[in-house]
Amino acid sequence: MADDDALRAYRARLREWLAAHAETAPRRTVLEPLDDDDVRGRLAWQRTLSEAGYAGVTWPERFGGAGGSPAEAVAVEQELEAHGVATAFDFIGIGMVGPTLMVHGSAEQQDRHLEPLLRGDEPWCQLLSEPGAGSDLAAVQTRARRQDDGTWAVDGQKVWTSFAQHAAFGILLARTDPDVAKHKGLTMFVVPMDAPGVTIRPLRQITGDAEFNEVFLDDVRLCAEAVIGAPGEGWKVALTMLGFERVAVGSGLHATPLDQLVAAVGAHADDREDPAVRVRLGEVASQLLALRHTSERVVEQVSQGQVPGPEAGLIKITSVLASLDACRLAVDVRGAQALVAPEWGHQVSMLPGVRSAGGTEEILRNVIGERVLGLPPEPRVAA
């Protein structure tokens, strides 16, 4: 993205601000937070970023954002990375939940939740995936039953819930009418994660992190105002959030930085001159550059008020596959030593799990084939 005069001036102000604040900021790392103190420090940094207009850059000003352009958002990410400084901690809230509430949330929900979310005062998680459902998100078994007084009682279990142990609120998809087709009869709710009946159990991964969690919901009581959209419209809300999620997951959060790969491959003269290595580096670089430009195009659409469509899944697929190719090249060139270095060892362990985040590659290819390319649908067993 070429800088024009306005963007160069924006970047200059940002660099001046970072010169005054970067020294006390949390460092950028591929590792998960070490402990609760680390999380609190990263949320405090998110508050500092939001107060300066450098978190939620493209969020509208009426929702507490900076009302900036996609180019400015990209510039912020580039400068934070260049200074080795962490970005906003609650990427789930800022990138997925917040934009979904802007589209489907009530005015009261937007007033109550968006600004604290952006400031890092109340981080969020997504309560979507369930054990036994695989990639079929609509196979939700968690039930919400409306009570005589209009409140809801929720029972069920969610799994692979990222950062639930740090979240103040969750956005929950539950079945509220079991007698209709599975994509109908679903409702989306706001759930306080400290509500009676909510139990969170972290899941330790091969990386050593506990990013994912199991969440148990045992007769959790929610008020009528907790419904996002309307009862029975949960699938529509979920599709909106999945569109934003695929953009966020694939927009660079987990993509390998190209300069990191170039540094690893170019560390030794023999590798730099090896024709086979040069060809592979060119192929991976092409993928990562195409990913960057596609992400910028989608961010531009989002900033204009458009909801990401199924084609956003291409970003997620490309991000993960390009990063896997980058990791394979780095390990082939540097040998087993690459697995000891945190920037490569952690990615090699983490990326297979990321292939399922925001929908598996197979599900996304089906969605793109059917909804974008108009191909015949895959045979399905259940309605």
Side-chain angles (χ1 to χ4, degrees), residues 235-255:
W235 187 244
K236 182 170 68 175
V237 181
L239 290 181
T240 297
M241 189 161 62
L242 286 176
F244 287 117
E245 180 184 32
R246 286 162 187 162
V247 173
V249 170
S251 63
L253 285 171
H254 298 287

Side-chain angles (χ1 to χ4, degrees), residues 8 25 37 111 136 148 165 176 187 206 222 266-268 275 279 295 298 307 309 325 336 358 364 378:
R8 277 193 289 272
D37 287 341
D111 290 342
D136 188 0
D148 293 340
Q165 71 272 48
T176 48
T187 302
I206 192 172
L222 302 176
H268 301 289
V279 168
S295 298
V298 172
V307 176
D325 287 345
L364 293 176
E378 182 184 48

